Amino acid sequence: MKNNHFIFSGHDTIELANKFGTPLYVMSEDIIRKNANVIVDSFKKQGIDFEVVYAGKALLNTAICCIIKDLGLGLDVVSGGELYTAKKASFPMDKIFFHGNNKSIEELIMAIELGVGRIVIDNEYELELLNRLSIERKKKSKVLFRITPGVEAHTHKYIQTGQEDSKFGIPIGEAEEIILKAYKMDGISVMGLHCHIGSQILEDRPYKVVSDIMMGLIKRINEKHRIKIHELNLGGGFGINYSEEKSLINMDEMINKISTLVKRVSKENNLGIPKIIIEPGRYIVGNAGITLYEIGAIKNIPGIRKYVSINGGMTDNPRIALYGAKYNAYLANKMNQNNKEIVSIAGRCCESGDMLIWDISLPHCEAGDILAVLNTGAYNYSMSSNYNRIPRPPMILLMEDRAEVIIEGETLDDIVRNDKIPSWLNN
Ligand code: LLP
């Protein structure tokens, strides 16, 4: 800590705020690489075929694609926009997994023509559509089937997805029939199964349960239909530590447990060991990002609450309003001060629900102070909006002692860029 300032990934955050302005998304390439390597190194110890696929929905832009490419990871995309971003970054198409419960015809054609590695089939309608589009283009699409294994993970209900009552995936009871049908299709090559039980999961038990269920299905498909399943993708969802939530997941132990189970069931049933794939998003970028804001208006209601307003809010971080997420923050220019007070951090949007943090203990806050909100790397920029016509802040990337802009901040002209005045009003 230099000059009482908060140091993030070796950088003085006050110097960053002065140089690049606020609000500012700050990402650390060093931390992203460290997080990814924890997973890859854990798998390497298992002596099995594996692939770590970064879930781009957590945060995607061309610079992040370049890091993921350089790390040798795969990439999970869920839209033409994410796929196009990967293409712009020259990401290897055969390492892309294309997800989504309602991919459009245009998106499927784009995926086939670009030669995307795996298309993850979500439902029977999509299977038939993809088969037809692939045959028309004289291609065979390699697919995984997204299965809902019937496991409910304990997380916010909007980010739970493994239970049967979900818009995603094929209920496990219908899986065999659909896979058998796909196996006979000329435009489809069945590679494996996929499941994803939810996000911000704090323990490893559900992953073990789900691996067991999925191995049971692989066994049945092999025994009854003589179809070999080459790949088992267990999705993402590995939780991180926010302010109150603490993840009990130890990556090394969890990967050991899953791999041991998959190897044992494969051996007992004379199945080849499937390649194990996981798709972490938050685990890789969540703690690699912080957001810097400047404090402005402060409103003290004696005996009730002190509201400290910042120059951002639900437009750059909608997770509090959406999920009641809880964040921790530092007053980045007053790290050594002990005169703490309890305040609530308010966003700048015209909405009472735009509160970033309720009741946090911080040194005495004044206008011009810089607030650093921690763990904002995942699902912040990617879910940001222009509500209230507020331009999105820029994002910088830190790498060792370097810091560069990787997404320009939006301007007021960007805000009106797509507006059109109809002929009858334009005089
Ligand atoms: N794979 C699939 C198929 C997914 O649907 C997701 C997340 C992931 C991987 C990556 O999950 P992660 O490792 O990042 O938890 N907006 C919510 C999270 C939604 C997650 C959607 N799917 C949030 O801000 O908490």
Side-chain angles (χ1 to χ4, degrees):
M1 212 185 313
K2 176 172 79 179
N3 308 326
N4 234 348
H5 293 176
F6 171 43
I7 306 297
F8 176 67
S9 197
H11 288 254
D12 181 326
T13 55
I14 302 305
E15 281 174 18
L16 295 176
N18 288 340
K19 180 164 178 198
F20 297 99
T22 61
L24 182 67
Y25 291 104
V26 182
M27 294 300 302
S28 159
E29 182 170 338
D30 301 292
I31 301 178
I32 294 176
R33 287 179 179 273
K34 204 169 104 238
N35 292 340
N37 287 333
V38 167
I39 309 178
V40 170
D41 292 345
S42 303
F43 267 119
K44 279 188 182 158
K45 289 186 201 159
Q46 301 300 325
I48 45 158
D49 197 10
F50 72 92
E51 186 164 4
V52 178
V53 176
Y54 168 65
K57 67 209 82 186
L59 172 67
L60 203 70
N61 51 62
T62 46
I64 297 291
C65 283
C66 292
I67 302 174
I68 299 301
K69 178 171 68 168
D70 194 56
L71 283 163
L73 308 189
L75 179 67
D76 146 5
V77 302
V78 289
S79 70
E82 289 187 352
L83 184 52
Y84 188 70
T85 307
K87 179 174 177 276
K88 281 280 169 192
S90 305
F91 196 89
M93 287 294 143
D94 59 334
K95 289 181 81 74
I96 291 191
F97 289 65
F98 192 15
H99 282 279
N101 62 311
N102 193 23
K103 305 170 193 77
S104 69
I105 295 185
E106 293 74 19
E107 286 172 327
L108 286 173
I109 292 174
M110 186 176 168
I112 297 168
E113 290 181 347
L114 287 174
V116 157
R118 300 284 180 272
I119 297 178
V120 184
I121 299 279
D122 193 272
N123 50 65
E124 200 167 353
Y125 164 78
E126 183 178 83
L127 173 65
E128 278 162 13
L129 184 58
L130 180 66
N131 182 43
R132 176 170 67 73
L133 296 173
S134 303
I135 292 171
E136 281 168 9
R137 284 163 186 76
K138 302 192 171 36
K139 295 260 171 69
K140 215 168 165 82
S141 294
K142 291 184 177 163
V143 306
L144 302 185
F145 289 88
R146 178 161 182 169
I147 310 295
T148 40
V151 172
E152 283 187 39
H154 296 280
T155 183
H156 191 284
K157 72 173 188 298
Y158 292 164
I159 48 184
Q160 251 179 19
T161 41
Q163 75 280 16
E164 251 187 309
D165 185 2
S166 164
K167 73 169 182 172
F168 296 107
I170 300 159
I172 193 156
E174 294 166 24
E176 286 175 56
E177 199 182 318
I178 293 187
I179 292 166
L180 192 57
K181 180 172 176 183
Y183 195 66
K184 298 176 184 153
M185 288 176 159
D186 291 331
I188 300 291
S189 174
V190 177
M191 297 303 292
L193 305 182
H194 172 275
C195 62
H196 172 76
I197 49 179
S199 195
Q200 184 56 9
I201 293 170
L202 301 172
E203 42 167 16
D204 64 16
R205 203 182 47 86
Y207 289 101
K208 236 192 121 193
V209 173
V210 91
S211 304
D212 210 8
I213 295 174
M214 295 299 280
M215 284 308 291
L217 178 59
I218 292 182
K219 180 179 154 215
R220 288 198 297 285
I221 294 170
N222 188 279
E223 280 174 5
K224 284 185 20 204
H225 311 294
R226 298 274 139 230
I227 298 176
K228 188 166 158 47
I229 298 298
H230 306 272
E231 298 171 0
L232 174 59
N233 183 331
L234 295 166
F238 316 105
I240 62 164
N241 298 334
Y242 285 102
S243 75
E244 288 170 9
E245 289 168 50
K246 299 278 178 256
S247 177
L248 301 172
I249 293 182
N250 172 319
M251 235 343 130
D252 210 44
E253 271 175 30
M254 187 191 68
I255 287 172
N256 181 29
K257 285 183 195 166
I258 294 173
S259 309
T260 307
L261 185 145
V262 170
K263 282 191 257 188
R264 178 179 55 74
V265 179
S266 304
K267 200 165 163 225
E268 283 170 4
N269 297 285
N270 290 323
L271 310 165
I273 303 171
K275 175 179 187 175
I276 304 180
I277 302 165
I278 61 169
E279 290 170 342
R282 190 188 320 261
Y283 189 90
I284 292 183
V285 292
N287 71 346
I290 60 170
T291 311
L292 300 178
Y293 302 98
E294 184 174 331
I295 288 172
I298 296 177
K299 171 183 175 178
N300 189 23
I301 313 172
I304 298 187
R305 188 180 296 283
K306 191 169 190 177
Y307 285 91
V308 172
S309 293
I310 50 158
N311 57 349
M314 64 190 290
T315 42
D316 57 77
N317 182 356
R319 297 194 68 256
I320 302 105
L322 265 175
Y323 314 120
K326 299 217 167 35
Y327 282 86
N328 199 4
Y330 297 137
L331 209 49
N333 54 319
K334 294 182 177 169
M335 290 299 281
N336 280 339
Q337 288 190 17
N338 289 324
N339 54 340
K340 298 247 168 115
E341 55 182 355
I342 303 285
V343 298
S344 291
I345 309 296
R348 55 160 298 179
C349 294
C350 276
E351 187 141 321
S352 300
D354 180 24
M355 292 295 298
L356 242 74
I357 304 175
W358 290 102
D359 298 329
I360 178 172
S361 170
L362 290 177
H364 180 65
C365 299
E366 292 160 292
D369 285 343
I370 298 295
L371 187 81
V373 177
L374 312 183
N375 299 315
T376 57
Y379 303 108
N380 273 227
Y381 195 97
S382 65
M383 302 210 324
S384 62
S385 76
N386 288 129
Y387 182 46
N388 291 172
R389 299 229 121 186
I390 294 172
R392 284 183 180 80
M395 179 177 285
I396 61 166
L397 185 69
L398 310 178
M399 170 63 170
E400 295 169 350
D401 59 351
R402 295 155 78 173
E404 282 184 29
V405 172
I406 58 168
I407 310 179
E408 294 283 4
E410 289 174 347
T411 62
L412 292 179
D413 279 327
D414 289 329
I415 291 294
V416 293
R417 187 167 312 282
N418 296 320
D419 289 7
K420 294 269 183 255
I421 297 174
S423 55
W424 61 92
L425 293 176
N426 202 357
N427 44 33

